[in-house]
Amino acid sequence: MSLKDSLSTVPVTIKGPKCQVGILMLSLPDDDRAALEAAIDDPRWTGSSIWDVLRREGHSEITDVSIRRHRRYLCKCR
């Protein structure tokens, strides 16, 4: 059996809940989610800028710290 085959048979478990950014993304319409993902992946956007837009749109549960952690793959959902 190849390594690829062996790895494909092992179930992947998600440990713990998603971060606030991941939870928000699940609740957004597809076009808004795509826009937020694009902003998070775009280095021209700062975490504070994304946070400011989210806050103005009524998503006060998100912090700039959670955006930075999500962006750096330091949360449980990425």
Side-chain angles (χ1 to χ4, degrees), residues 1-10:
M1 182 181 271
S2 71
L3 178 61
K4 176 185 171 192
D5 293 335
S6 295
L7 289 172
S8 68
T9 62
V10 177

Side-chain angles (χ1 to χ4, degrees), residues 34-48:
L36 179 55
E37 286 174 348
I40 287 172
D41 292 338
D42 187 338
R44 296 174 295 176
W45 278 91
T46 65
S48 295

Side-chain angles (χ1 to χ4, degrees), residues 27-74:
S27 71
L28 293 173
D30 291 342
D31 56 339
D32 286 347
R33 182 175 51 251
L36 179 55
E37 286 174 348
I40 287 172
D41 292 338
D42 187 338
R44 296 174 295 176
W45 278 91
T46 65
S48 295
S49 297
I50 296 169
W51 173 67
D52 188 49
V53 171
L54 289 173
R55 195 169 37 92
R56 282 187 279 138
E57 291 293 321
H59 301 289
S60 58
E61 71 278 7
I62 305 296
T63 66
D64 57 335
V65 173
S66 63
I67 293 167
R68 286 195 302 268
R69 288 182 58 78
H70 185 84
R71 179 177 245 179
R72 290 190 215 143
Y73 302 93
L74 297 175

